[in-house]
Amino acid sequence: MKIHSDVDMIKKTWTDFVNDGIIGNIIRKPIVDSWIRCQKAGIDPRTVNRTPTVSEENFQKRLQLNQVLLDVSIPFMVELQEFVNKSGFSTTLTDPNGVILELICDQSIIEEAFTKNLVRGSIWNEAMAGTNATGLAIDLLQPIQVIGAEHYYECYHDLTCSAAPILDETGKLLGILDMSGPRELAYPHTLGMVVASARAISRQLCIAESNRQVDLTNHYLSTLIDSISDGVVAVDVKGKIIGINSHGAKILKTTTFESYGKNILDIMDGETILDHTGQQPSPVNEKEKHVVTKSKKINCLVNSKLILHDNGTVVGAVATLKDGAIKAIVPEKNKRKGTRFTFDDIIGESSELLRSIHLSEIAAKGSSTVLLQGESGTGKEMFAQAIHNANQSDKPFIAINCAGIPEALIESVLFGYEEGSFTGASKHGKIGKFELAKDGTIFLDEIGEMSLNTQTVLLRVLQERYIQRIGSSKDIPIDVRIIAATNKNLAEEVKKGKFRQDLYYRLNVLQIDIPPLRRRKKDIPILANFFLNEITTACGKFIEPLHPSTIATMQEYEWPGNVRQFQNAIEQAVNFTETNRIDDYFIANYLPNINEQLTAVSIGSPPLEDTNVDLKELELSTIKKALTLFPERKKAAEYLGISRSTLYRKLKQYHLED
């Protein structure tokens, strides 16, 4: 396309057109077509045009919608401006509607730019600014340079503008890059620089979108792999671990965080679980192998397969692992008396939780009394059962909630009674919990709620190791292991005179603290995926993997009810969601307001106050955000994770119909 440099001839042609409607053959067709459109629109070319601007609210919305475009484009704009520094040029980026999103210019022309309303938020499409390079690039979807009197408005005849469209991989217009400066500095290479930069921006945006898709795919893949009940480990040809799920890490007695990048032999000794030394893919056979980890020897059922390059070269291997002990454990479950949890059922990889598990495994090897301290909902009974099942799975496990038994009855419950020993007693008498737990474990939950009188009787039992049924003088020897649990700080209760000091020392032989969920933020993604898979399987629903932003929302919350509350929130969300996903909005609907939660919940702290009063404000702000991002109601409802009918109901509730 020929670019005219005869300024006087262009000016004369413009004058003839404006005065008499005469069109010569000097001006390029796209320019002439634009003049004609402007004339038909009734635009007065001799007025001093000040292009209008969008409202501040509208402008902020456009910035938000085009944030990725801005992030990629601004470095190129800065580089372009450096080429023409102090020459009176400005560089602009507009959205597909011609609204300026960003402007970079020389300090010397700021006042002049302001006079022409060349500012962020001003509209430079053809309808608002007449014939200009930005407007033509929008219409033509191709680069163009407009010089001097080629502009329809006479007030722009002292300018030259070079603009090029920024397109995505499908050819959709994303924005316009433009350089404007003094007419006398019009050169074809200016347009060339703009075109090169616009194409570079398009390529970077395509790469950014591809990276986003890859990240999303990786997230879905990692979530899928982590939801598999078997362990999964992948290594490269040198044995470096490039992938491992939480179950694989648990089997190998490590964590996913510690494993990545390490050689598989750094985690285990002896024969590797992955045989990737051959050059041909071996049949996929499940083999039992002895694996020696850094802490113990385990049996693994290994299902391994080589990964080959297109040319047949071995590049790595992947294996699924099953703890060989599973074969023995399955029948053992039928023998357990009153329990179902082992250490394998405790989900998490945080250092505090792993320390609690490690101490519990040590405690399980002996018969000493154990005191479990932790807030409500942290899983104290799960730990108690795991300790019991480590070596006594075929023995009775008797759990007693000390807070749930009236003081008048607790001795008869614990120690039993003879017939006729009190009004209402069974004529045959009754065996107490301590006798039922013979040779096994008695779990005294919420021991801190036991009255001082009962504490005295319990202390005598622990000292003498025998009991007497109510109404009897016969001593009955007991051989049971004591595991006590409390959500109170018993040392503080002793100071307050609410718990016997001598009993505290009898119980506090092996103290194990169970960490609250707020100190296990790293475990939240693992727990979320575990509970989501477990609950959806139980209720027969399909729910998409949790989005990273939903996980982040969960990690921001303090979870005063700990794992129990967390599991209930997931279950509630799965049952109540009207789509096949749980997003930030829905999770937030079933959590107290994050901004006003208590920052810590100590052992024995008073109950949390109800914070549901702020949920409506949170819901309203979330809906407004969705409508700002997605004016179309269908897309807004999809973003919120609710049906359109629910969205319309909410809009009516909050008077947001307009």
Side-chain angles (χ1 to χ4, degrees):
M1 186 180 291
K2 185 180 178 183
I3 299 175
H4 295 278
S5 58
D6 191 335
V7 175
D8 293 335
M9 185 62 70
I10 296 174
K11 179 69 174 180
K12 182 179 183 305
T13 303
W14 177 85
T15 303
D16 291 342
F17 175 79
V18 170
N19 292 338
D20 305 315
I22 299 173
I23 303 175
N25 58 1
I26 300 296
I27 306 301
R28 293 169 287 165
K29 186 178 185 305
I31 302 293
V32 172
D33 291 344
S34 177
W35 285 0
I36 294 173
R37 290 193 297 270
C38 291
Q39 189 179 63
K40 288 182 178 179
I43 296 176
D44 184 356
R46 288 192 168 91
T47 60
V48 177
N49 182 52
R50 281 180 58 83
T51 59
T53 58
V54 298
S55 67
E56 179 62 24
E57 181 180 0
N58 184 284
F59 180 64
Q60 292 301 324
K61 175 183 174 182
R62 291 175 188 271
L63 289 182
Q64 189 173 16
L65 290 175
N66 293 280
Q67 191 58 57
V68 176
L69 174 64
L70 283 162
D71 292 341
V72 173
S73 301
I74 288 176
F76 289 96
M77 295 174 66
V78 172
E79 188 172 348
L80 272 179
Q81 194 63 28
E82 288 177 353
F83 279 118
V84 293
N85 189 32
K86 297 183 180 179
S87 59
F89 272 81
S90 63
T91 305
T92 59
L93 175 70
T94 69
D95 69 6
N97 297 312
V99 177
I100 294 180
L101 301 174
E102 188 57 81
L103 165 69
I104 301 176
C105 65
D106 290 346
Q107 190 72 21
S108 59
I109 67 165
I110 289 180
E111 185 175 342
E112 182 182 353
F114 184 76
T115 302
K116 291 181 169 61
N117 211 29
L118 188 66
V119 295
R120 297 168 77 205
S122 59
I123 309 171
W124 284 80
N125 56 35
E126 185 179 273
M128 297 299 173
T131 305
N132 69 91
T134 294
L136 283 172
I138 292 173
D139 291 336
L140 301 173
L141 290 182
Q142 65 183 32
I144 192 167
Q145 188 174 53
V146 178
I147 304 171
E150 289 182 327
H151 292 90
Y152 189 70
Y153 275 109
E154 188 175 19
C155 61
Y156 300 144
H157 285 185
D158 58 344
L159 296 175
T160 178
C161 306
S162 303
I166 300 170
L167 309 174
D168 68 8
E169 67 275 8
T170 66
K172 178 184 175 183
L173 180 64
L174 301 177
I176 301 293
L177 185 65
D178 178 281
M179 284 189 74
S180 301
R183 178 190 60 200
E184 58 271 17
L185 297 180
Y187 297 106
H189 69 256
T190 305
L191 179 60
M193 290 193 303
V194 174
V195 170
S197 296
R199 289 177 179 172
I201 292 170
S202 294
R203 287 193 296 270
Q204 288 290 340
L205 288 170
C206 289
I207 293 172
E209 175 61 19
S210 297
N211 289 339
R212 190 187 72 82
Q213 291 294 337
V214 169
D215 288 342
L216 187 60
T217 300
N218 286 339
H219 173 70
Y220 278 103
L221 184 60
S222 62
T223 302
L224 175 64
I225 291 175
D226 211 52
S227 66
I228 297 173
S229 58
D230 296 339
V232 179
V233 184
V235 299
D236 64 13
V237 71
K238 295 182 179 180
K240 184 175 74 173
I241 296 175
I242 57 176
I244 185 169
N245 68 354
S246 57
H247 297 287
K250 178 176 285 188
I251 290 172
L252 297 179
K253 307 302 178 184
T254 183
T255 66
T256 56
F257 179 78
E258 294 174 345
S259 302
Y260 276 105
K262 284 187 177 181
N263 192 287
I264 190 73
L265 295 178
D266 291 336
I267 297 176
M268 64 182 67
D269 298 322
E271 182 182 1
T272 177
I273 60 170
L274 301 174
D275 181 12
H276 55 276
T277 58
Q279 293 300 311
Q280 296 296 327
S282 57
V284 181
N285 294 321
E286 191 172 63
K287 298 180 180 179
E288 185 168 357
K289 294 187 177 182
H290 299 287
V291 176
V292 181
T293 68
K294 298 304 180 184
S295 60
K296 63 184 290 188
K297 181 177 180 179
I298 60 174
N299 290 329
C300 273
L301 297 177
V302 181
N303 199 329
S304 59
K305 185 175 179 63
L306 295 177
I307 302 173
L308 304 181
H309 195 274
D310 292 341
N311 60 12
T313 305
V314 176
V315 294
V318 64
T320 56
L321 314 175
K322 293 181 181 179
D323 193 335
I326 290 176
K327 293 182 177 179
I329 288 176
V330 172
E332 283 296 325
K333 283 188 175 182
N334 298 327
K335 298 179 181 179
R336 294 180 192 161
K337 298 184 177 181
T339 63
R340 62 190 181 97
F341 296 117
T342 68
F343 288 117
D344 288 336
D345 296 308
I346 301 174
I347 307 299
E349 297 181 357
S350 64
S351 58
E352 286 196 55
L353 180 70
L354 292 180
R355 173 170 173 76
S356 298
I357 294 174
H358 177 65
L359 293 176
S360 298
E361 288 175 330
I362 294 174
K365 296 175 182 178
S367 59
S368 299
T369 301
V370 177
L371 176 62
L372 301 173
Q373 286 200 145
E375 298 172 10
S376 296
T378 52
K380 295 186 290 296
E381 182 165 357
M382 179 179 281
F383 271 84
Q385 290 189 19
I387 292 171
H388 169 80
N389 283 326
N391 290 302
Q392 294 181 301
S393 60
D394 59 337
K395 304 298 182 181
F397 177 92
I398 305 298
I400 303 168
N401 188 327
C402 299
I405 304 174
E407 182 179 355
L409 298 177
I410 193 165
E411 286 191 43
S412 63
V413 171
L414 292 177
F415 313 127
Y417 58 85
E418 298 290 349
E419 60 176 296
S421 55
F422 54 86
T423 303
S426 169
K427 64 178 181 178
H428 301 296
K430 190 172 183 180
I431 296 176
K433 299 295 185 182
F434 270 88
E435 286 186 76
L436 290 174
K438 181 181 179 182
D439 298 327
T441 301
I442 189 164
F443 176 53
L444 302 175
D445 196 12
E446 297 192 51
I447 189 74
E449 305 297 330
M450 185 177 283
S451 70
L452 288 172
N453 289 336
T454 308
Q455 289 178 35
T456 303
V457 178
L458 178 61
L459 175 64
R460 177 177 56 81
V461 171
L462 296 181
Q463 288 174 334
E464 306 297 335
R465 307 301 292 184
Y466 66 81
I467 62 168
Q468 288 183 352
R469 295 181 186 177
I470 295 176
S472 172
S473 59
K474 179 183 176 181
D475 292 338
I476 302 174
I478 58 167
D479 183 15
V480 298
R481 179 173 200 171
I482 309 293
I483 300 180
T486 180
N487 62 1
K488 293 186 175 183
N489 187 324
L490 291 188
E492 292 296 323
E493 294 297 295
V494 170
K495 292 180 181 179
K496 296 175 184 178
K498 296 182 178 180
F499 202 85
R500 289 184 62 106
Q501 186 178 46
D502 43 8
L503 178 59
Y504 171 65
Y505 289 132
R506 280 283 177 182
L507 294 174
N508 192 29
V509 179
L510 301 178
Q511 179 178 321
I512 299 173
D513 294 323
I514 315 299
L517 188 54
R518 65 177 176 276
R519 297 212 305 265
R520 297 172 50 195
K521 296 296 178 71
K522 177 183 175 183
D523 291 339
I524 284 180
I526 301 171
L527 288 167
N529 290 328
F530 175 80
F531 289 137
L532 185 63
N533 182 62
E534 184 178 62
I535 294 165
T536 52
T537 300
C539 65
K541 293 183 71 173
F542 169 74
I543 300 293
E544 292 181 4
L546 294 169
H547 193 274
S549 60
T550 304
I551 297 292
T553 300
M554 291 175 169
Q555 289 176 317
E556 288 176 4
Y557 184 54
E558 294 293 328
W559 297 104
N562 295 294
V563 178
R564 185 187 296 122
Q565 181 194 6
F566 184 81
Q567 181 179 5
N568 290 344
I570 296 290
E571 185 170 0
Q572 193 173 37
V574 168
N575 281 281
F576 284 165
T577 187
E578 298 179 66
T579 68
N580 62 348
R581 74 179 201 181
I582 305 169
D583 61 12
D584 300 339
Y585 165 77
F586 201 89
I587 291 295
N589 238 2
Y590 292 91
L591 296 178
N593 191 327
I594 290 173
N595 294 325
E596 295 190 7
Q597 64 185 327
L598 295 179
T599 57
V601 183
S602 60
I603 295 177
S605 61
L608 293 173
E609 295 180 0
D610 183 13
T611 56
N612 286 335
V613 67
D614 296 314
L615 280 179
K616 287 189 176 181
E617 294 181 12
L618 182 62
E619 182 177 66
L620 176 59
S621 65
T622 307
I623 293 174
K624 285 182 176 179
K625 175 185 175 183
L627 294 175
T628 300
L629 293 173
F630 304 100
E632 186 181 341
R633 297 291 190 260
K634 179 180 178 182
K635 291 184 178 180
E638 290 176 354
Y639 171 81
L640 293 170
I642 59 178
S643 66
R644 271 186 287 176
S645 60
T646 300
L647 176 60
Y648 285 125
R649 189 167 65 251
K650 295 291 184 182
L651 294 178
K652 184 176 181 180
Q653 176 184 345
Y654 293 115
H655 307 291
L656 298 174
E657 296 98 330
D658 297 331

